[in-house]
Amino acid sequence: MAITPISESSSSPAAAGAAPWHARHPVWQLGFRPFYLLAAVFAAVSIPLWLASYLGWMRGGLQLGLGWHMHEMVFGFALAVVVGFLYTAGRNWTGLATPHGAPLMALAGLWLAGRVAMACFPGVAAALVDWLFLPLATYPLYRVLRRSGNTRNLFLVGLLALLALANGLYHAAALGWLALALSVPVQAAIFIIVLIESVIGARVIPMFTRNGAPGSTPVASPKRALAGVACMAAAAIAWLAGAPALVTAPLAFCAAGVSLANLLAWQPQRTLRVPLLWILHLSYAWIGIGFALLAVASLGWLPASAALHALTVGSMAGLIIGMMTRTTLGHTGRPLKAGRAEAVMYWLIQLGALARLLAAAGPASLYVPALLAAGLCWSLAFALFALAYAPYLWRARVDGRAG
């Protein structure tokens, strides 16, 4: 695939009357467009399907187990958003075109084929189709970063390679080729995505706050951000390796403390009237909460599920929906201003995170009601995003620019 500067053919406007299956349709002009839309629809539909299967309400047809749920929420849903975001950010970082047109169509089709295969035709073929997506999606990002000399962001390629490795280990375990619990590679992937969130968040949240919250003076400390990433990585490795609690707990508490110290320096209290900002601050806070709960879980005082869902629903989903709304507005030429729909999405994710914590750590009698409440909040949030933002993602930029 040729890599061209944005000023060349990659910047030609989308064809106004192009059909959706045409490479010049607006939805294929930049990575965030198809992947945000596909991820939101998948998120809204997959959780009700899994809950119906998990609770025995689904008779015949799809039987979606816990392994499918864990895999698809991380390697399906979350990775689609990560790839869409990095393609969009990568274009800004380098001034070079990331996949668009026919190559982007092919990658989106491969991702969709992976979701269908994993649900309907599990086996070696499904594993291969699913696994191929991330290496094929990562290579174009590597090429534009290398060609532009953007070494600052090459670490992201390494993290995506680790995610591909984790996905491969999951499939090897699921196929019986490797004696490994399915939860281990999924948890490894969760920690890697949290590291990506932490690094990107430490770069952009203070800047967004300074630009969007009147009177704010957020302080970004690269050294403290790096210390937080190091503590998170060490705590994650200790957890995955099954290290004693005397090792894991202090590392996880350290990760939580440094993460929350970073957040406090960004003045979250100044963002309370700006939904596009407070969702990022609040979701980032869940990283610290998640690692604190991980420390408690390592001591045996709390189910590990509570910590992991704090990281996935509270942090990951919160930052995902916050960044999806923000980048969609910005990259379709619209004002960076949230309305009622965005506020409802944000609160639904946060309420869903609390409900999921209650299901994990609350009384057994509340498990099913809390689980259903969490699933309802999650699905409504992403369904609302899909309904409200599909017209933005589907149509050309309102300012006539490319992208």
Side-chain angles (χ1 to χ4, degrees), residues 31-32 35-36 39-40 76-87 111 316 319-321 323-324 382:
F32 77 97
F35 283 119
Y36 284 8
F77 161 70
L79 281 190
V81 178
V82 169
V83 168
F85 173 82
L86 290 179
Y87 278 2
W111 179 88
M316 192 183 300
L319 285 170
I320 278 174
I321 206 161
M323 290 303 294
M324 285 202 309
F382 285 103

Side-chain angles (χ1 to χ4, degrees), residues 15 87 112 115 118 142 220 241 243 318 320 345 364 371 378 396:
Y87 278 2
L112 187 58
R115 309 290 62 78
M118 289 297 294
Y142 165 72
I320 278 174
M345 296 176 212
L371 191 64
W378 170 285

Side-chain angles (χ1 to χ4, degrees), residues 241-340:
L246 290 177
V247 174
T248 304
L251 289 172
F253 274 128
C254 178
V258 178
S259 176
L260 293 174
N262 266 322
L263 179 63
L264 289 175
W266 302 339
Q267 299 185 324
Q269 73 278 5
R270 297 281 188 176
T271 69
L272 298 180
R273 295 185 179 181
V274 188
L276 281 176
L277 291 177
W278 67 246
I279 183 59
L280 301 180
H281 284 260
L282 184 54
S283 301
Y284 196 92
W286 278 103
I287 296 177
I289 295 169
F291 274 96
L293 294 176
L294 193 72
V296 176
S298 72
L299 295 168
W301 300 343
L302 195 71
S305 176
L308 294 168
H309 281 96
L311 292 173
T312 52
V313 183
S315 166
M316 192 183 300
L319 285 170
I320 278 174
I321 206 161
M323 290 303 294
M324 285 202 309
T325 49
R326 185 181 189 93
T327 55
T328 299
L329 292 172
H331 285 279
T332 58
R334 290 171 170 81
L336 291 175
K337 185 177 181 180
R340 291 182 179 178

Side-chain angles (χ1 to χ4, degrees), residues 175-242:
L175 293 169
W177 299 349
L178 185 66
L180 182 70
L182 295 179
S183 60
V184 173
V186 172
Q187 290 178 15
I190 290 170
F191 289 128
I192 293 168
I193 294 174
V194 169
L195 289 178
I196 294 174
E197 293 171 358
S198 181
V199 173
I200 299 297
R203 289 183 186 178
V204 303
I205 295 177
M207 177 182 65
F208 292 163
T209 302
R210 187 177 298 108
N211 294 339
S216 65
T217 55
V219 177
S221 170
K223 290 183 178 179
R224 188 167 55 225
L226 182 60
V229 168
C231 289
M232 289 177 202
I237 292 169
W239 173 267
L240 293 170

Side-chain angles (χ1 to χ4, degrees), residues 10 12-15 18-38 87 91 97-112 392-396 402-403:
S10 61
S12 59
W21 52 86
H22 194 288
R24 290 190 64 195
H25 188 276
V27 79
W28 308 117
Q29 300 313 302
L30 198 52
F32 77 97
R33 290 177 174 272
F35 283 119
Y36 284 8
L37 187 56
L38 287 169
Y87 278 2
R91 195 180 98 150
T98 52
H100 60 285
L104 184 58
M105 292 174 69
L107 286 169
L110 180 61
W111 179 88
L112 187 58
Y392 303 166
L393 296 165
W394 201 254
R395 297 171 185 162

Side-chain angles (χ1 to χ4, degrees), residues 118-143:
M118 289 297 294
C120 302
F121 313 107
V124 176
L128 181 61
V129 170
D130 171 70
W131 183 82
L132 277 174
F133 168 73
L134 192 52
L136 292 177
T138 301
Y139 183 63
L141 181 66
Y142 165 72
R143 290 187 67 195

